[in-house]
Structure formats: structure tokens, C-alpha cells
Amino acid sequence: MTNLKIDYYSWIYRGRIQSRAFILHVPSVDLPEVIGNIERALKPGGYFYVSFKYGDFEGERNGRYFTNQTEQSLEELLKPFKQLELLETSVTPDVRAGRGDEMWLNAIVRKK
């Protein structure tokens, strides 16, 4: 099976899209367009994994743009997309050395 590469952190493979620490760099005003593209790309029954830094910060940090999310803000972001179902969220600590106090929101979404 081929692997359609979108970028280093985000790809489509066997009906799944993974966005690990990628769309958190998209400004919140542009996130609905990105989520809409993902919704269109997924086949019915396909899954989407996404992770964001946890919290409500949005802006530039260390020369890069971040849009953090909470469970509530992610639910609000996904609400207009009627074909997408938020299956699971979890909050986990960053595993990189020296970053254990940084938390990540992980989510699994499925297209109905």
C-alpha cells in the first residue's frame, strides 16, 4: 500500500490521517479550513489522530506560532463538522527531557 505523504508529521495511510504536533502551528482562524480538508480526505469510517499543546495560549513562542487546545476548545472546533465524531481525548505529559511540565492534548476523531 502506498503512503501519501503530506508532510513529515501528517499523512494519510489506509484511511487514517495522523497529525502529530503539526496543526498546532496553524492559527485558530485557519483551523476550520484545515479540519474541513481533513474531513473531505477521510473515507467513511476513517480515523484522524491529532495532538496540540494543552491550554488556551495562541501566538508566537520561540519564533514559532502555536494554537493550543483544551478538550472544550477542540469540541467547539469540531462542532460544525457533522461527519466527524470525537471518540477519545487524553492529556499526557511531554516525554522530552526537561519538558515534563508541558502537557499535550491527544484526540482520536472518526468520520461517520
Side-chain angles (χ1 to χ4, degrees):
M1 182 133 266
T2 63
N3 184 5
L4 174 60
K5 194 123 178 163
I6 294 173
D7 67 274
Y8 183 74
Y9 294 103
S10 194
W11 61 85
I12 300 173
Y13 181 72
R14 293 187 182 183
R16 298 177 193 100
I17 297 176
Q18 179 171 298
S19 180
R20 199 175 57 232
F22 173 67
I23 68 172
L24 81 152
H25 297 294
V26 175
S28 62
V29 68
D30 297 324
L31 280 174
E33 180 182 354
V34 172
I35 298 297
N37 289 339
I38 290 168
E39 182 182 49
R40 283 186 293 282
L42 281 173
K43 294 179 180 179
Y47 290 88
F48 169 47
Y49 168 82
V50 64
S51 63
F52 291 92
K53 286 191 178 245
Y54 190 79
D56 58 7
F57 175 81
E58 181 171 0
E60 193 170 311
R61 185 184 308 135
N62 299 324
R64 296 188 308 168
Y65 197 88
F66 289 88
T67 302
N68 296 3
Q69 295 286 329
T70 64
E71 296 92 337
Q72 295 79 19
S73 64
L74 181 59
E75 286 177 19
E76 287 298 314
L77 173 64
L78 295 174
K79 197 176 280 186
F81 303 95
K82 302 301 181 195
Q83 295 180 359
L84 296 180
E85 176 182 20
L86 182 58
L87 297 178
E88 182 180 327
T89 61
S90 63
V91 178
T92 56
D94 197 315
V95 297
R96 295 174 291 178
R99 294 191 176 190
D101 60 336
E102 294 181 33
M103 302 303 284
W104 287 86
L105 175 66
N106 307 279
I108 298 174
V109 178
R110 181 178 54 155
K111 185 172 183 176
K112 298 176 187 175

